[in-house]
Amino acid sequence: MDRSKLDDRMKVLLRKIRAGETSFSPVGESDEARREFDRQVKCLIALREQNLIPTKSLLFQREPYGEGFEFSGAALVRGLTYEGELAADALDMAPAVDALGDMLSHPGLLACRRDFERAVASVASDPSHAIAAASSTLESVCKAILSQRRRPFPSDQSIQPLMKETMKALDLAPENAAEDEIRRVLGAVGNIAAAVGTLRTKYGTAHGRTNEHTPLTSIHARFAVNAMAAGALFLLESAINK
């Protein structure tokens, strides 16, 4: 979902509907309150036109009670569509997610994009799967960079060894940085891989679970996807500029 197609009122409505709000009416009796509600109605109609709310679920109460005001209430029979849920989730993602999505549209990165799309799409519906897909995305990005630079994959192709080899290939190994500040920043990039990999191992769908397994929420999944996007974007932009 392209967030640029949503104005601020539409974003607020998406969040309200996802939170369970189904009834809308003017807040007060003033002309300004009625004008604001008319604008809200137009946003609801726009959300319907973009297939973010079901076509037949939006009902209006048409009782003109002032010149120029057509609606006195609106209600949703059902909540957001699947596309609407994705759009609402996307509102809470960091800008790096959008930027990475654009970059992964390159034909040579389609394998990375498939993992990336699975991660973003699963944040709310299946957090464990989102975490596993976030880790897979970072692994795929590392492999794409190593392949492009004709560098061999490490014997252990899990996320941390792949990240280490990729940063070496890009001359980004923290131990080679001349300044402490740069060393810390580069170390943080490596820590992203470690953190996402740890979440995947303990909570993702790629490994077995114990009886004591406590599932994570969409908050944790969103953090993992946002962190992955920041790390992957840094690697890809570094690869392009070297």
Side-chain angles (χ1 to χ4, degrees), residues 190-218:
N191 288 338
I192 288 174
V196 174
T198 298
L199 283 175
R200 179 194 194 184
T201 299
K202 191 168 184 180
Y203 298 101
T205 55
H207 300 278
R209 298 171 178 173
T210 66
N211 290 334
E212 292 77 27
H213 171 78
T214 302
L216 296 183
T217 69
S218 60

Side-chain angles (χ1 to χ4, degrees), residues 17-154:
I17 295 169
R18 183 176 61 175
E21 190 165 337
T22 59
S23 180
F24 305 90
S25 59
V27 181
E29 296 295 327
S30 68
D31 283 354
E32 179 54 37
R34 295 171 183 175
R35 277 191 289 269
E36 177 59 30
F37 181 65
D38 276 0
R39 288 190 284 265
Q40 190 176 57
V41 166
K42 290 178 182 177
C43 288
L44 285 168
I45 293 171
L47 292 176
R48 181 179 64 184
E49 290 174 347
Q50 294 185 36
N51 195 36
L52 302 183
I53 56 178
T55 302
K56 296 182 179 180
S57 74
L58 184 57
L59 305 176
F60 296 111
Q61 185 176 359
R62 298 173 182 268
E63 294 180 5
Y65 51 94
E67 185 177 353
F69 303 112
E70 182 178 1
F71 302 103
S72 60
L76 281 173
V77 178
R78 297 194 306 276
L80 299 174
T81 61
Y82 175 72
E83 290 80 4
E85 292 285 355
L86 293 182
D89 287 341
L91 296 178
D92 298 324
M93 304 304 288
V97 172
D98 277 349
L100 180 61
D102 290 341
M103 189 168 286
L104 294 183
S105 297
H106 187 280
L109 297 171
L110 292 182
C112 308
R113 185 170 182 84
R114 285 192 291 270
D115 290 328
F116 169 78
E117 289 178 343
R118 288 192 298 112
V120 174
S122 302
V123 166
S125 60
D126 191 345
S128 294
H129 184 68
I131 290 168
S135 182
S136 295
T137 302
L138 200 48
E139 290 170 357
S140 296
V141 167
C142 288
K143 288 181 177 180
I145 293 172
L146 290 172
S147 295
Q148 190 272 333
R149 292 178 173 261
R150 302 184 185 280
R151 299 287 289 267
F153 295 165

